[in-house]
Amino acid sequence: MKTSTTPAQPPTGGKYRQFLPLVQTATLIEWTGTGLFLAVSTIYFVKVAHLSTASVGTGLTIGGAVAIAVSVPLARLAGRLGPKPLLIGVMLLRALATVGYLWVDGWWSFLLVVSAIAVTEQSSPPLVQSYVGARTPEDLRARVMAVQRTVVNLGISLGGLIAGAALGAGDADAFRPLLIGGAVAYLAVAAVFATAPREEGGAVAEGTSVAELLGDRRLLGFTAYNALVSLWMPVLNVAFPLWLVTATDVPERYVGVLYAVNTVLCIALQYPLNRCYRTTRRAWLSYAGAAVLLGGGALAFAAAPRFGWQGALVVLGGAVVLLTFAELLQVGASWTLSFDLAPQEARSAYLVLFNTSRTIANRVAGPVLMTGVVLALGTAGWMAFAGVMLLGALVPFVMLRRTPTAPATAPDTPASRPKARTAD
């Protein structure tokens, strides 16, 4: 792969802190805008756009598949242009698509808009990660991304609170200002990044070919494994509320309470837990821990119907806590290992393609797996899912045995890149 410039090292000392408030402000604005519509989107599609729940689910799945299909050319474009200009374009498209929801009058228009949204939602996080990684010293990346994740959760919570207040009166017209507000937020983020300094670390590739991306077995294998451990998303967002309502006697109002537990823990613990995944070895062990916790949460869900509603509530609460810690460890570990995996001159391209794992887990395979297999089989489905997760917890130990510690002076070549730093 040819590059147009010699790779530069990210800024050291206090210089990297100069851009952090800007990025974190953009992140807070972006995810507040997302939170405005995230919690009430299904209600809007069914009650305002007059779509059936089945058609909404199908559209969201197809939108996710479109985002995955677009990821390869988008990754190549990211490798050529770098993260900053692509971030600006993604935010402008996201603003346009968000306003487009106001004109959805059928399934096809819904599919068009939701596909555009899916592409932008998938692209934004890895581009921000690449931009931050290019300007942050390697030993501080986990801490900085932990702060970013905390800001994301704060933004979603703030947006959700605003949406809840706006929709409290039950007026369908209240959706309009929420959608417009979300679009304005994305325009503001585009403006913020337009004034930001260009990334300094890493050269911009003259062309990251599709063959290079799809031919990297480490990238594809790690993407598949991350999709597996990222299944905490459909478990939390799809299977958990449906299981509570259909399989236990716990009142529906406690779904919101348990979601609040997840949100508060994520905000409070993401940064303190960054010690668990700062190095390659710790990150792999965090993946193992996340898989075990996810399996434990599945077993708790399986056990919940055996208790009265109060006992089931306690068990479900424990399951949500386990899922939350799995989320914190998986998300943090993915930052460290995806940075290690991506060659410096093609970081944006690799991170964009790697992020398809979240789309696969959350939009494409995950919902179908939860509703069509786990919930359909009931207790047996949860136990089988737990077994898969516990087996998945063995993968990091295999990887650690195959990945010896790299010499300090190892050159940056394809042969040397797998030998990432594993010592604590």
Side-chain angles (χ1 to χ4, degrees), residues 297-390:
L299 293 176
F301 282 127
R306 298 177 178 271
F307 299 88
W309 80 264
Q310 292 177 323
L313 177 61
V314 173
V315 174
L316 290 174
V320 168
V321 171
L322 292 175
L323 288 182
T324 301
F325 277 93
E327 171 186 353
L328 293 168
L329 293 176
Q330 178 272 320
V331 170
S334 71
W335 299 330
T336 298
L337 293 180
S338 60
F339 272 129
D340 284 354
L341 175 73
Q344 188 174 1
E345 70 277 7
R347 180 182 292 134
S348 296
Y350 270 64
L351 293 181
V352 168
L353 188 59
F354 169 72
N355 201 57
T356 60
S357 57
R358 292 177 59 84
T359 304
I360 293 169
N362 198 32
R363 285 182 175 267
V364 181
V368 174
L369 176 64
M370 292 301 117
T371 57
V373 179
V374 174
L375 295 182
L377 296 177
T379 300
W382 283 115
M383 295 181 70
F385 180 76
V388 171
M389 288 298 110
L390 294 176

Side-chain angles (χ1 to χ4, degrees), residues 95-114:
L96 180 63
T98 300
V99 173
Y101 276 129
L102 295 173
W103 285 276
V104 169
D105 59 358
W107 189 77
W108 287 106
S109 57
F110 164 73
L111 180 62
L112 177 64
V113 173
V114 81

Side-chain angles (χ1 to χ4, degrees), residues 33-47:
T34 301
L36 287 174
F37 191 60
L38 184 65
V40 296
S41 58
T42 303
I43 300 173
Y44 176 83
F45 298 145
V46 174
K47 292 190 174 182

Side-chain angles (χ1 to χ4, degrees), residues 63 66 90 93-94 97 110-121:
V66 170
V90 162
L93 175 60
R94 199 169 181 182
F110 164 73
L111 180 62
L112 177 64
V113 173
V114 81
S115 297
I117 291 289
V119 170
T120 59
E121 285 183 349

Side-chain angles (χ1 to χ4, degrees), residues 153-201:
N153 284 306
L154 285 171
I156 292 175
S157 300
L158 179 59
L161 289 173
I162 296 172
L167 296 175
D171 187 356
D173 290 337
F175 287 100
R176 180 178 295 273
L178 293 178
L179 288 167
I180 294 174
V184 171
Y186 301 137
L187 290 175
V189 174
V192 170
F193 276 112
T195 64
R198 192 173 182 89
E199 62 276 7
E200 297 176 11

